[in-house]
Amino acid sequence: MANNKEATKLVANNKKAYFDYFIDEKYEAGIVLAGTEVKSLRMGKCSIKEAFLRIENGEVLIYGMHISPYEKGNIFNKDPLRVRKLLLHKSEINRLAGKVAEKGCTLVPLQVYFKDGKAKMEIGLARGKKLYDKREDIARKDQRRETQRMFKIQNL
């Protein structure tokens, strides 16, 4: 039991966020969930592609996060798209609220995972990319892929 490595299990990832935004800072937040939602998350039935975050009344809320209903949950299942609260320290919430008030900054969900048995969400403070930034990223990725292919051919 001398394993110091933290046990994390990835549930959902938002790759589109990295394509559409520059991620300046990352924060880890807990998620307030019902029992059947946790069971559904453990089965990997979650989507954060359309999700977005807002700060209202000193609380961080996530909208549009879809957690599929648990099959054996019957009457205890909640609405799959209900608004959920995220758990952050008050100082972090105040800091994020100040940054979001600036022009061009927003909060985006990056990934949902289990850490030491607790459901967590990584959120990012992001700035939107312009079209030419996205084209530059695509060109860089193509260049990297091409060099890897050439390197692979040379080493055969």
Side-chain angles (χ1 to χ4, degrees):
M1 284 202 215
N3 192 1
N4 292 341
K5 201 171 189 182
E6 296 172 348
T8 60
K9 179 190 169 213
L10 185 65
V11 177
N13 200 358
N14 191 358
K15 292 180 183 176
K16 191 106 172 104
Y18 290 99
F19 182 72
D20 290 337
Y21 299 99
F22 292 113
I23 308 298
D24 293 335
E25 298 174 22
K26 294 180 182 178
Y27 293 91
E28 182 180 73
I31 313 170
V32 177
L33 297 170
T36 55
E37 289 177 324
V38 176
K39 290 181 179 187
S40 188
L41 267 183
R42 287 197 190 281
M43 293 169 57
K45 297 190 175 179
C46 175
S47 173
I48 55 172
K49 287 183 178 23
E50 301 89 28
F52 61 95
L53 298 158
R54 281 201 183 137
I55 299 176
E56 296 174 2
N57 302 326
E59 295 179 338
V60 181
L61 302 173
I62 182 160
Y63 294 83
M65 177 179 169
H66 188 278
I67 298 178
S68 299
Y70 184 58
E71 297 106 42
K72 300 174 182 107
N74 60 37
I75 61 168
F76 299 109
N77 280 332
K78 303 282 187 196
D79 178 29
L81 288 171
R82 74 182 182 94
V83 178
R84 294 171 182 89
K85 183 177 165 184
L86 296 183
L87 304 171
L88 287 162
H89 290 286
K90 186 62 91 178
S91 59
E92 290 177 325
I93 294 172
N94 292 338
R95 185 166 195 271
L96 287 173
K99 294 279 189 174
V100 170
E102 291 178 19
K103 188 178 179 204
C105 283
T106 186
L107 291 173
V108 292
L110 300 176
Q111 59 185 2
V112 177
Y113 55 92
F114 280 99
K115 181 177 175 185
D116 299 329
K118 294 177 176 62
K120 303 283 185 179
M121 175 178 281
E122 186 176 59
I123 61 175
L125 186 65
R127 289 178 291 118
K129 285 186 180 179
K130 302 282 190 256
L131 185 61
Y132 58 84
D133 292 326
K134 293 179 187 178
R135 287 182 185 146
E136 190 176 297
D137 280 353
I138 291 170
R140 196 176 304 128
K141 190 186 288 185
D142 288 344
Q143 182 69 30
R144 185 169 45 244
R145 194 178 302 127
E146 187 66 30
T147 56
Q148 285 177 347
R149 188 181 311 132
M150 294 302 294
F151 183 73
K152 191 175 184 179
I153 291 171
Q154 290 174 354
N155 287 339
L156 287 178

